[in-house]
Amino acid sequence: MKKLLLSAFTIGFIAIGINAQENEDLRPCGINEAEVKAKAHLEGIFDKHPHLRAEHERMLKLLKNSKVSQNKNGGPKSNHYVIPTVWHIIHEYGNENLDDALIYASMDKLNEQWQHDDADSTLIIPEFKQIAGGLNIEFRLANIDPYGNCTNGIEHIYSHETRVGDDLSKLHQWDRSSYLNIWVTVGMEGAPSAAAYSYGPESTDGFGFYIDGVISRVAYATSAGSETTMTHEVAHWLNISHVWGPTNEPEVQCGDDGVADTPITQGHSGNGGCNYAWLSGPANRVCDTSVIENAQNYMDYAGCGRMFTQGQMLRAENALNSISGGRINLWNDTTLAATGTHDTSTVQLCTPVADFNTPDTRICVGATATFTDHSWNAVVDNRTWTFQDGTPATSTSPIANVTFNSPGWKSITLEVSNASGSDTKTMTNYIYVSPDWADFTGPASLDIEGNQEYLFLVENPEDNWARFDGVDGVGYDGSKAFRLNNYKDISDADPFTSEGNYYNNLGRSMDYLITPSFDLRNTTGITVGFWYSYASANTNSADVEEVLKVYSSRNCGESWVTRKTITGSQLLSGGFAGGDLNFVPSNNQMWQYAEFTYTPTSQDNRTRFMFEFEASDRSNNLYIDNINVNGTLSITAQEIQDLELIVFPNPTKGEAINVRYTAQNEAVKFILRDITGKVISTETVNTTNSSVTHRIEGSANLPSAPYFLEVRSGDYSTTKRSEERR
């Protein structure tokens, strides 16, 4: 889905696994495919910005001519290399939002293996002990970020990019000449067959600077998942190849890594574990019966990595003394002071960054939502939650269960602190609590006109550019419609900024449009229909990766059931828009009708339907109009029909609300609420078996706005809207 942006074409992958099952899911890596994508995308940038090609070539030439491979005495400078390091955890508040303790443990393991001090080194067979070596290197989590702020070297970033995992998922890169950047994601579309990947120093020179670093699937990123994945990828970052050579295809042909003391090998896929037969007699030696292949090398895929060779460490040290990739800048005194990594004895206590979430952003009135503190950057000593209209209204617990007994949007605040300071996060209109009545009873038609737009719930989880909104004159029959605006003008944007990469970062983002609620308990033969319009920026339907899904919920949106999925050619009601990324339907022929059947139960007293759009990097604008819930109101609701209820004036503009109805054998209860669900008045009219005209108590002189009048007769109810006049 995502396009790789590279400036040169050396890339390293690893496909070792946690266990055999996970490793079987990851095929040998595909370096050629990645290179082709990288070259094609860079060429696309040069075609759009021709002046960048000459600048790119000039920069590469300068780097080539000035690169230091070794110092004057023929070997690298002997030094204690401290490498400032930052981890970027890309997450959506799931298990992928790794606990900092896992990162601390993984940093310890990384250092042990690079320093040849890992406990597993005792398992190195005698033939390899004489060539095994380490480096006087220490990877330290940064204490100061690029802006001079206190940091613990671990950044937690909420983004859909965790489901992508490619070069453009490398969000918030810190200056690669001052930090080793490590990203953790769930997906790995940048290298689908890999557990992780990184680039050699020369591959990131020139315009490749912003892809420099290591990116790993969350399952392999820490020592709790795989002890050697990060060690392997950092080795690529320091210009060390696989033991069989610069490909991702072990067990194909014998080769070497260009390091003199690494035995010739064809490499081993490992299948998730170490087969010690590879380390035994001549019968198991493929390349040279007199040479034991170095299956215990961290740069094999065998799954039994225990060592680097001394020559590999010399190669890494050469890389650290090279201008290529900015590696020589990482460990100098100025950088260490700027990143706060010059002294391990003084680690700053930072102020925590407040963060939280709940999976329960849509609940029924009276239901309970669970909130979890996900604050980061430091230990939290004190916290205070504030829950609008919640029970409890405040809490100090890291996980808080809160009940909401009144309907409407609710705002949540979390303040966290320690001895260093405090931080506060407020999410306005974060939770929507549905009332215990429905907006509509039985069959209903939503044409998005007037105030119907405001009965919908719009959710844009990342608060980004693309979101649903109502737009006049673009709908079916030229009416108002909902538009998911995916278009952004980036014609003048720098292609190496987040704005310039807007479309490359659309893929996998999600947006939601949720209908008002319906009481469908007494409706039969239900079909839910709607019109949609969409045109792809691709040139053939096979490349259309966008997906439109429709769901239903009987419990106010706490859980959803898929009802309709539209993708590929089915989605292209407007055909192919080509380079036009701002599609607007110009006639009814660009619209398509879709529907599905729905069988109600006794639980369908406030059913909602949700439209979910999953974007791709070639997404265009999407339009939704005329949402109809069709069916027949059954005889069981005859009591409501017999009332022949009329609400007037409709629409209103501050006038008192009146009702006219034919009373039956039951008293009629009226509950008047404002648009937030707040009860304005409640009254019961006991008149029976006659015509009634009644002014609703408390309705005079109300501000001009929509109001909801719930009418209850016996066991049945309906809700009518009195709209403001425009």
Side-chain angles (χ1 to χ4, degrees):
M1 173 181 293
K2 303 295 288 299
K3 309 300 186 291
L4 300 176
L5 292 175
L6 318 180
S7 64
F9 314 107
T10 303
I11 184 171
F13 301 95
I14 185 169
I16 60 176
I18 299 174
N19 53 50
Q21 179 60 47
E22 291 212 35
N23 189 61
E24 288 169 1
D25 294 337
L26 295 178
R27 302 182 304 277
C29 304
I31 185 172
N32 293 333
E33 179 183 1
E35 289 179 350
V36 169
K37 290 180 179 179
K39 293 176 182 177
H41 197 89
L42 193 62
E43 286 299 316
I45 292 176
F46 291 153
D47 289 344
K48 188 175 181 180
H49 305 275
H51 68 284
L52 294 179
R53 185 186 300 276
E55 176 66 11
H56 176 61
E57 292 173 352
R58 186 191 70 80
M59 292 173 70
L60 290 181
K61 183 177 180 181
L62 177 64
L63 285 163
K64 181 177 181 181
N65 291 338
S66 62
K67 184 179 69 174
V68 178
S69 61
Q70 57 186 18
N71 67 10
K72 293 180 180 179
N73 64 10
K77 178 183 177 182
S78 177
N79 212 316
H80 176 209
Y81 299 98
V82 174
I83 309 300
T85 304
V86 56
W87 290 63
H88 310 277
I89 313 301
I90 315 298
H91 69 92
E92 291 182 305
Y93 294 112
N95 293 333
E96 74 281 357
N97 191 16
L98 294 174
D99 187 89
D100 289 354
L102 290 172
I103 308 303
Y104 299 145
S106 296
M107 289 292 290
D108 289 342
K109 181 61 66 174
L110 180 68
N111 283 315
E112 289 171 1
Q113 292 181 341
W114 269 88
Q115 294 164 12
H116 191 41
D117 194 32
D118 184 27
D120 287 347
S121 63
T122 59
L123 301 176
I124 298 172
I125 64 174
E127 291 84 351
F128 294 155
K129 283 186 179 293
Q130 59 186 343
I131 61 171
L135 187 62
N136 190 13
I137 191 170
E138 183 180 356
F139 300 91
R140 291 182 189 168
L141 289 170
N143 286 312
I144 303 174
D145 73 10
Y147 310 101
N149 300 313
C150 182
T151 178
N152 67 351
I154 307 170
E155 186 181 30
H156 296 258
I157 305 168
Y158 174 71
S159 175
H160 70 274
E161 288 291 334
T162 191
R163 287 179 279 115
V164 180
D166 68 4
D167 284 333
L168 289 169
S169 303
K170 296 174 178 177
L171 306 176
H172 299 191
Q173 185 202 47
W174 295 7
D175 182 0
R176 60 83 174 263
S177 66
S178 297
Y179 305 87
L180 162 60
N181 287 266
I182 299 172
W183 290 269
V184 179
T185 58
V186 172
M188 191 59 63
E189 292 183 2
S193 60
Y197 71 90
S198 60
Y199 297 95
E202 293 184 2
S203 299
T204 61
D205 285 338
F207 293 141
F209 67 91
Y210 63 97
I211 61 172
D212 195 5
V214 177
I215 186 168
S216 174
R217 295 179 193 263
V218 66
Y220 300 85
T222 68
S223 55
S226 170
E227 286 193 355
T228 59
T229 296
M230 203 53 61
T231 296
H232 179 112
E233 293 306 328
V234 170
H236 285 314
W237 180 78
L238 286 176
N239 205 32
I240 299 177
S241 178
H242 292 135
V243 289
W244 62 86
T247 75
N248 298 294
E249 299 173 351
E251 301 180 344
V252 173
Q253 61 184 24
C254 295
D256 68 73
D257 59 357
V259 177
D261 63 355
T262 305
I264 187 171
T265 180
Q266 69 165 356
H268 309 84
S269 62
N271 292 321
C274 180
N275 180 354
Y276 282 91
W278 296 328
L279 307 174
S280 59
N284 297 296
R285 301 172 188 172
V286 177
C287 298
D288 185 336
T289 57
S290 66
V291 175
I292 302 176
E293 296 182 24
N294 198 191
Q296 288 189 314
N297 199 295
Y298 291 126
M299 303 313 291
D300 201 333
Y301 284 172
C304 50
R306 304 285 184 263
M307 60 170 287
F308 289 115
T309 69
Q310 296 171 24
Q312 286 173 318
M313 294 296 90
L314 182 63
R315 186 179 181 116
E317 195 166 11
N318 279 332
L320 287 168
N321 284 274
S322 169
I323 193 173
S324 187
R327 305 295 189 257
I328 196 171
N329 298 315
L330 286 163
W331 47 272
N332 66 49
D333 292 340
T334 301
T335 299
L336 300 185
T339 59
T341 54
H342 58 294
D343 184 3
T344 58
S345 63
T346 304
V347 178
Q348 299 182 79
L349 174 65
C350 300
T351 300
V353 176
D355 194 16
F356 65 87
N357 94 303
T358 177
D360 310 313
T361 56
R362 320 171 196 99
I363 60 174
C364 296
V365 68
T368 298
T370 299
F371 298 87
T372 302
D373 182 354
H374 290 287
S375 301
W376 51 276
N377 199 47
V379 173
V380 173
D381 291 334
N382 304 286
R383 72 178 55 78
T384 301
W385 297 92
T386 303
F387 307 105
Q388 179 185 353
D389 299 331
T391 303
T394 63
S395 176
T396 59
S397 173
I399 300 177
N401 296 310
V402 183
T403 302
F404 294 91
N405 293 312
S406 64
W409 287 103
K410 309 300 179 185
S411 298
I412 312 298
T413 297
L414 173 64
E415 181 181 10
V416 292
S417 66
N418 59 21
S420 180
S422 64
D423 187 45
T424 300
K425 179 176 182 177
T426 296
M427 296 291 286
T428 304
N429 293 343
Y430 183 51
I431 302 287
Y432 185 78
V433 182
S434 290
D436 58 3
W437 73 89
D439 297 317
F440 297 92
T441 297
S445 177
L446 305 179
D447 59 8
I448 324 300
E449 304 301 321
N451 285 312
Q452 285 191 342
E453 175 187 348
Y454 303 103
L455 296 173
F456 284 77
L457 307 179
V458 173
E459 293 197 3
N460 177 236
E462 295 179 62
D463 195 25
N464 57 17
W465 179 269
R467 64 185 306 120
F468 280 102
D469 62 348
V471 181
D472 289 313
V474 300
Y476 188 75
D477 285 336
S479 61
K480 191 172 189 177
F482 273 106
R483 174 190 62 183
L484 174 57
N485 180 28
N486 284 309
Y487 173 72
K488 187 175 186 180
D489 184 0
I490 60 170
S491 57
D492 295 327
D494 185 332
F496 300 104
T497 63
S498 58
E499 183 178 3
N501 281 314
Y502 169 75
Y503 286 101
N504 294 309
N505 283 116
L506 265 180
R508 300 285 186 176
S509 64
M510 313 285 276
D511 280 275
Y512 304 91
L513 176 66
I514 303 172
T515 70
S517 57
F518 302 87
D519 187 342
L520 302 176
R521 291 172 295 180
N522 303 308
T523 305
T524 59
I526 296 175
T527 60
V528 179
F530 59 95
W531 290 87
Y532 66 90
S533 186
Y534 188 77
S536 176
N538 286 292
T539 56
N540 63 79
S541 58
D543 295 328
V544 177
E545 297 175 324
E546 304 92 287
V547 180
L548 175 63
K549 289 185 178 181
V550 188
Y551 300 83
S552 67
S553 174
R554 294 185 170 108
N555 56 5
C556 308
E558 294 180 29
S559 61
W560 297 91
V561 176
T562 305
R563 298 295 178 180
K564 186 79 173 179
T565 300
I566 304 172
T567 188
S569 59
Q570 292 180 325
L571 188 58
L572 304 182
S573 64
F576 297 99
D580 181 10
L581 298 175
N582 192 17
F583 167 68
V584 179
S586 57
N587 56 63
N588 282 356
Q589 284 66 47
M590 291 184 168
W591 288 81
Q592 178 66 44
Y593 181 75
E595 69 176 13
F596 56 89
T597 60
Y598 185 80
T599 303
T601 71
S602 60
Q603 303 301 311
D604 279 285
N605 61 325
R606 43 189 168 178
T607 299
R608 293 183 184 270
F609 300 97
M610 178 173 71
F611 295 85
E612 173 195 86
F613 186 77
E614 180 176 341
S616 79
D617 292 337
R618 299 288 290 166
S619 286
N620 215 312
N621 299 331
L622 169 72
Y623 299 84
I624 303 289
D625 199 5
N626 294 348
I627 303 168
N628 299 309
V629 179
N630 305 304
T632 302
L633 198 62
S634 69
I635 194 66
T636 57
Q638 192 65 45
E639 290 84 348
I640 294 295
Q641 295 186 64
D642 288 346
L643 289 176
E644 298 177 338
L645 182 68
I646 298 174
V647 179
F648 65 95
N650 187 14
T652 69
K653 190 177 183 182
E655 304 98 325
I657 299 171
N658 295 272
V659 293
R660 183 182 298 129
Y661 64 98
T662 302
Q664 303 299 308
N665 295 323
E666 299 277 356
V668 179
K669 184 176 183 178
F670 298 96
I671 304 173
L672 182 64
R673 296 178 173 89
D674 64 17
I675 197 169
T676 69
K678 179 181 178 181
V679 174
I680 298 171
S681 66
T682 300
E683 58 183 314
T684 299
V685 178
N686 293 311
T687 304
T688 58
N689 300 311
S690 63
S691 296
V692 178
T693 299
H694 178 73
R695 174 179 288 191
I696 299 300
E697 180 180 325
S699 65
N701 301 317
L702 288 172
S704 179
Y707 295 92
F708 297 90
L709 181 64
E710 182 181 2
V711 182
R712 297 181 180 177
S713 177
D715 294 330
Y716 304 99
S717 67
T718 187
T719 300
K720 298 289 186 180
R721 293 189 320 282
S722 180
E723 300 176 343
E724 64 176 320
R725 179 178 296 141
R726 292 183 177 272

